[in-house]
């Protein structure tokens, strides 16, 4: 069965240590869908299974965290009168949960977008004080070079005079493809940063946000719940 190890799931509630979970399982006190669990390594899907300890249901996920591979052509918003939003990509069941995107990607940008109903976590991930790094892949119409890498590292000044924080620029091949690491999130930031260096973005994809990396097995438009490990890494609630 797909899912997470039972010992990890139960320990993630904070109610028992892994060692205690092992004991509970050995004593036959843990039931998964009515069947006594045989071992901690057994896998269970927290969204689908009913897990009981000593006859009481264990609430595993208090919040919902969805990793979406945002396709181009949809808005990072919860509703819009005219255009499709990322919420329109989800199942009706998920749409009813009051999820919202954590931050925004432009309509034509693809890649990692986290959807959740955990406002506290969203606030933490987006807070300018925390500087959660975001990693992007960009394809450009003109190559960038060493001087641009140094300018990004020093902090680019945009056309309107806005000074950006230092950012990472890794040149791939001849510099027409680059990896950019941002420590902040300004409107159209990457497009404006490369424009200030004389190069326009033709394609943009977010690969990572803090410790969360886009699952490349997700095609654009596909999504999946975060794993327990991912939820713990970003400081979500289990
Ligand atoms: N920078 C941009 O220009 N667009 C995005 O969608 C994200 C970062």
């Amino acid at each position: 069965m797909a899912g997470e190890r039972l010992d990890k799931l139960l320990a993630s509630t904070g109610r028992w240590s892994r060692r205690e979970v092992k004991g509970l399982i050995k004593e036959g006190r843990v039931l998964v869908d009515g069947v006594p669990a045989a071992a901690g390594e057994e896998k269970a899907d927290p969204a689908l299974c009913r897990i009981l300890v000593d006859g009481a249901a264990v609430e595993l996920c208090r919040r919902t965290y969805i990793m979406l591979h945002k396709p181009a052509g949809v808005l990072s918003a919860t509703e819009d009168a005219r255009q499709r939003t990322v919420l329109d990509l989800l199942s009706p069941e998920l749409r009813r949960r009051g999820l919202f995107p954590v931050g925004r990607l432009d309509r034509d940008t693809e890649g990692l977008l986290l959807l959740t109903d955990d406002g506290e976590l969203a606030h933490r991930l987006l807070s300018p004080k925390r500087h959660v790094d975001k990693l992007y892949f960009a394809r450009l119409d003109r190559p960038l070079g060493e001087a641009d890498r140094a300018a990004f590292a020093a902090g680019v000044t945009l056309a309107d005079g806005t000074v950006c924080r230092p950012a990472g620029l890794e040149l791939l091949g001849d510099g027409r493809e680059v990896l950019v690491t941002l420590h902040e999130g300004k409107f159209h930031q990457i497009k404006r940063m490369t424009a200030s260096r004389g190069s326009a973005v033709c394609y943009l994809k977010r690969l990572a946000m803090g410790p969360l990396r886009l699952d490349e097995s997700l095609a654009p438009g596909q999504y999946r719940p975060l794993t327990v490990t991912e939820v713990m890494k970003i400081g979500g609630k289990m």
Side-chain angles (χ1 to χ4, degrees), residues 46-66:
L48 301 175
C49 296
R50 188 170 157 74
I51 301 175
L52 304 183
V53 174
D54 292 337
V58 179
E59 200 184 327
L60 288 168
C61 262
R62 283 186 286 151
R63 296 287 183 186
T64 302
Y65 304 94
I66 300 291

Side-chain angles (χ1 to χ4, degrees), residues 18-95:
R18 286 253 193 137
R19 180 191 288 261
E20 286 167 338
V21 169
K22 218 170 158 185
L24 292 173
I25 292 173
K26 210 166 165 193
E27 290 160 22
R29 294 160 65 187
V30 180
L31 300 189
V32 179
D33 290 336
V35 180
E41 300 88 63
E42 202 172 289
K43 298 240 171 129
D45 185 333
L48 301 175
C49 296
R50 188 170 157 74
I51 301 175
L52 304 183
V53 174
D54 292 337
V58 179
E59 200 184 327
L60 288 168
C61 262
R62 283 186 286 151
R63 296 287 183 186
T64 302
Y65 304 94
I66 300 291
M67 176 188 294
L68 169 71
H69 186 163
K70 179 192 171 296
V74 294
L75 295 183
S76 300
T78 49
E79 53 185 7
D80 190 85
R82 262 169 266 145
Q83 300 190 54
R84 279 207 318 154
T85 74
V86 287
L87 267 272
D88 294 325
L89 300 169
L90 303 181
S91 67
E93 199 274 319
L94 280 176
R95 256 182 274 147

